[in-house]
Amino acid sequence: MVDRICARRYTEVVVEVIVTDEFRTWYEALNDRDTAAVFHVVSLLEQRGVHLGFPYCSAIRTSRYGLRELRAQSGRRALRVLYAFDVRRQAVLLLGGDKSGTKQFYATAVPLAEQLWETYVSELQKEKP
C-alpha cells in the first residue's frame, strides 16, 4: 500500500496530447471562457492520463472503440471533447462540441468521432515499417 501511494504521488504522468483538424477547428472557434474550460480539462488529461476520472472524464458507452469524453463546464454550457488513447498511449482529441440543450449530441458526435478514429488508426498503421 505504501509503495502504491508513493508511486502515485512522486511519479509524474505526462501524456502527449494530439488533435485532429476537426478538434482544432472547433477549439479555435471557442470564446475565451470556453477555451479556458476546455484547456483546463485537457491539461488534466495530459497530467493524469488514463488515471483521470469522473467528473473530468467518462466512457462513451455506445462507442465501439472505447472512446472517452472530457467534460468541461463553461457557465451553463456542457462542453465535451471525445478522445481515445492510441497504441502509443497518446491521447487523441477527436472532436469537441456543446451538448447543452440537445438530446441528440451523442447520436451525432459518436459516429463522427468513430469515423475520425478509424481514419487515424488507418493512417497510424500505414506508418509502421
Side-chain angles (χ1 to χ4, degrees):
M1 182 81 166
V2 173
D3 291 335
R4 190 173 2 174
I5 292 170
C6 292
R8 281 189 177 172
R9 183 167 184 164
Y10 297 109
T11 301
E12 188 172 323
V13 175
V14 178
V15 171
E16 184 175 354
V17 174
I18 61 176
V19 303
T20 63
D21 292 339
E22 289 79 2
F23 173 82
R24 180 177 284 113
T25 298
W26 172 78
Y27 183 77
E28 290 174 350
L30 294 174
N31 65 36
D32 291 343
R33 183 178 183 173
D34 293 348
T35 299
V38 172
F39 181 82
H40 175 69
V41 293
V42 171
S43 296
L44 291 173
L45 176 64
E46 191 174 40
Q47 294 166 15
R48 299 182 190 168
V50 297
H51 302 292
L52 182 64
F54 189 81
Y56 304 109
C57 79
S58 59
I60 303 293
R61 295 178 194 210
T62 59
S63 172
R64 298 174 289 151
Y65 299 113
L67 299 182
R68 301 189 60 77
E69 69 175 343
L70 289 174
R71 305 161 53 94
Q73 196 69 31
S74 179
R76 294 185 181 266
R77 298 183 70 193
L79 303 174
R80 299 296 185 257
V81 175
L82 279 62
Y83 74 99
F85 288 101
D86 67 14
V87 295
R88 296 182 278 194
R89 304 309 294 159
Q90 297 175 118
V92 182
L93 306 185
L94 300 165
L95 74 132
D98 181 357
K99 77 167 218 149
S100 306
T102 179
K103 296 181 181 186
Q104 297 300 315
F105 175 78
Y106 295 103
T108 56
V110 172
L112 180 55
E114 288 181 334
Q115 190 174 40
L116 292 168
W117 181 248
E118 289 168 356
T119 301
Y120 173 79
V121 170
S122 175
E123 291 173 3
L124 196 62
Q125 289 173 344
K126 289 177 187 175
E127 292 178 9
K128 289 185 178 179

